Amino acid sequence: MLTRLPYTLLWILALPLVLLRLAWRARHQPAYLRHVGERFGRYRTRAPVGVIWVHAVSVGETRAAEPLVRALLAEWPEHSVLLTHMTPTGRDTSKTLFRDEPRVLRAYLPYDLGCFAHAFLRHFRPLFGVVMETELWPNLLAACRRRRIPVMLANARLSERSARRYARLPALTALTLKALAAIGAQTAADAARLAQLGARRVTVTGNLKFDIAPPAPLLALGRSLRERIGARPVLLAASTREGEEALLLDAFARLAPPAALLLLVPRHPQRFDEVAALARARGLALQRRSADDAVRADTRVLLGDSMGEMFAYYAAADVALIGGSWLAFGGQNLIEACAVGTAVVIGPHTFNFQAVAEDAERAGAAVRAQDAEAGMREALALVADPERRAQIAAAGRAFATTHQGATARSVALLTALAARREA
């Protein structure tokens, strides 16, 4: 308790600022002001008997959790799965992924104060919990341990940069990690870094994202979109971050032939209008995917301003330039592109997905470029070389397939946790 005291006091002092930040973000995303009570442990919906709790903070973690959630529903057919989030986009993603599954519930996880954590646990009474990737909440995990609710950190990843940051608070980090009943790490390197910080019961389970099967309806949507585009070369800038769009648009305007189309998909929906303005400022004719119109021959940029259609965008593209890797954001997930069979180009900054990116390079499933202009040149070269592009696409499919199995290994750990609790 004393180890967590300064952390708890900081949370208490920060709460007014947290509320102001919610209001600030709601200027562009009004959904931030919906279900506010849930962020303080107040829930209106009645909790069913028999809940398995899975926390996925935002969009990427929610998508990664999909195969695990479906496996949990199959393994415990009489239970419901509660998906908790911290962002409206994460919540919307879970609605899209599980729209036909009545046993999947969703809510916001409360802020990390003991009173809110206990209110959350009293309301839902989970059999066990699963926290995705790197979301470590000291007070919540302490409350779970006190109530004998085992929690597993699944799909855990920890970059060297993040490990150095956690190491600045060694006592709090070690206490929090030891509150976990099990950890399923993506790689041996992730496992070693977690163990060095004080984690116990760490198992290398692999990356759940390799188990995500491209949904047939989205692949069909991608083919339909490509038919509307026609035979033009299609370059996809996938999940781009602030500052990257300008670099990629400049490179596209300078280097791409008039027939080429840039399918530009910003990671954050609140930036759609801003990115559209960037394209128009460069004199590039733009259309929005949300308008669902025929793609005109003179359109140079198609703005992917829709949610939950990334697989369709990959299926419609010849080459994908993976966002987050062109500036120092750490990169975005390239596994989905590989699984679809789209040739991948990544930038120099992939520290959030270091093992995946390096393994993909070694497997011939991705090509790395030193900056956005070099990436655009590489993408255009692949468009002009169908044979090499097909080789990279085939290597990507093989790469995605050979790394599957993390879901089964994670469920095995959770089954053992549930059995120990019931014993």
Side-chain angles (χ1 to χ4, degrees):
M1 179 63 184
L2 290 176
T3 303
R4 289 183 283 110
L5 182 59
Y7 169 83
T8 301
L9 290 175
L10 281 174
W11 255 112
I12 293 171
L13 293 172
L15 272 181
L17 297 176
V18 169
L19 289 172
L20 285 173
R21 178 170 170 77
L22 277 182
W24 177 263
R25 299 195 74 169
R27 296 181 314 131
H28 300 292
Q29 284 184 274
Y32 269 101
L33 292 183
R34 297 181 196 138
H35 311 289
V36 171
E38 295 178 358
R39 299 181 184 274
F40 298 90
R42 299 176 64 86
Y43 299 91
R44 294 181 179 180
T45 57
R46 178 174 294 181
V49 176
V51 169
I52 296 168
W53 161 48
V54 177
H55 179 59
V57 59
S58 194
V59 175
E61 294 83 359
T62 305
R63 288 177 176 159
E66 181 189 3
L68 180 59
V69 170
R70 297 196 185 280
L72 293 174
L73 292 169
E75 185 73 18
W76 282 274
E78 297 181 358
H79 286 65
S80 299
V81 171
L82 170 68
L83 266 169
T84 58
H85 310 281
M86 295 303 292
T87 69
T89 49
R91 192 169 182 144
D92 289 343
T93 299
S94 72
K95 289 179 183 177
T96 300
L97 291 175
F98 303 105
R99 61 165 64 92
D100 298 323
E101 182 47 76
R103 288 196 291 140
V104 174
L105 318 172
R106 56 196 54 84
Y108 286 126
L109 193 69
Y111 296 126
D112 197 30
L113 285 171
C115 55
F116 302 154
H118 283 291
F120 167 76
L121 296 172
R122 278 196 306 270
H123 184 82
F124 290 106
R125 305 181 305 280
L127 172 67
F128 58 80
V130 181
V131 176
M132 294 293 296
E133 299 196 359
T134 53
E135 280 289 299
L136 296 174
W137 296 96
N139 286 326
L140 176 61
L141 290 175
C144 289
R145 192 173 189 179
R146 193 171 302 126
R147 290 173 174 268
R148 300 186 64 188
I149 299 170
V151 178
M152 172 181 169
L153 185 65
N155 216 41
R157 61 184 175 91
L158 190 69
S159 68
E160 291 182 6
R161 179 181 296 190
S162 295
R164 287 195 296 270
R165 190 165 62 246
Y166 279 115
R168 294 171 190 161
L169 298 169
L172 181 62
T173 297
L175 184 70
T176 303
L177 289 170
K178 287 174 183 175
L180 293 163
I183 298 176
Q186 292 187 17
T187 68
D190 293 314
R193 285 190 281 268
L194 286 161
Q196 190 172 11
L197 290 171
R200 297 179 294 188
R201 298 177 290 274
V202 185
T203 304
V204 178
T205 51
N207 192 331
L208 289 168
K209 293 180 180 179
F210 284 106
D211 291 343
I212 301 173
L218 288 180
L219 295 181
L221 177 62
R223 289 191 293 270
S224 174
L225 180 58
R226 184 56 192 249
E227 287 172 2
R228 279 185 277 170
I229 294 171
R232 304 171 60 182
V234 179
L235 309 179
L236 169 63
S239 297
T240 54
R241 303 284 294 272
E242 186 172 5
E244 293 185 321
E245 295 93 358
L247 297 174
L248 292 167
L249 285 165
D250 286 341
F252 179 78
R254 283 197 305 273
L255 302 172
L261 178 72
L262 180 64
L263 179 49
L264 180 55
V265 186
R267 176 166 173 76
H268 299 118
Q270 64 268 30
R271 299 189 55 248
F272 288 157
D273 291 343
E274 172 192 340
V275 174
L278 289 174
R280 292 193 180 103
R282 287 156 175 79
L284 297 168
L286 177 134
Q287 285 183 251
R288 288 176 178 260
R289 159 73 183 115
S290 58
D292 205 25
D293 295 330
V295 180
R296 298 185 299 270
D298 64 341
T299 295
R300 301 298 310 283
V301 177
L302 179 61
L303 181 66
D305 61 344
S306 60
M307 295 297 294
E309 293 187 347
M310 189 56 75
F311 276 114
Y313 292 139
Y314 284 126
D318 294 302
V319 181
L321 297 107
I322 304 300
S325 68
W326 306 106
L327 292 175
F329 294 111
Q332 300 300 144
N333 173 28
L334 57 81
I335 298 170
E336 292 180 357
C338 291
V340 171
T342 306
V344 169
V345 180
I346 54 176
H349 306 287
T350 55
F351 53 81
N352 283 337
F353 298 87
Q354 182 176 347
V356 170
E358 291 176 355
D359 288 349
E361 276 190 277
R362 283 192 290 269
V367 178
R368 192 182 292 270
Q370 64 183 3
D371 55 36
E373 180 164 336
M376 189 62 66
R377 288 185 187 278
E378 188 64 54
L380 290 168
L382 288 173
V383 165
D385 189 346
E387 184 176 346
R388 181 171 175 240
R389 192 171 75 244
Q391 290 172 349
I392 295 172
R397 289 193 185 96
F399 171 70
T401 300
T402 56
H403 286 76
Q404 292 174 351
T407 301
R409 290 186 283 271
S410 298
V411 170
L413 287 176
L414 290 167
T415 302
L417 290 183
R420 285 203 298 271
R421 186 189 182 190
E422 293 172 352

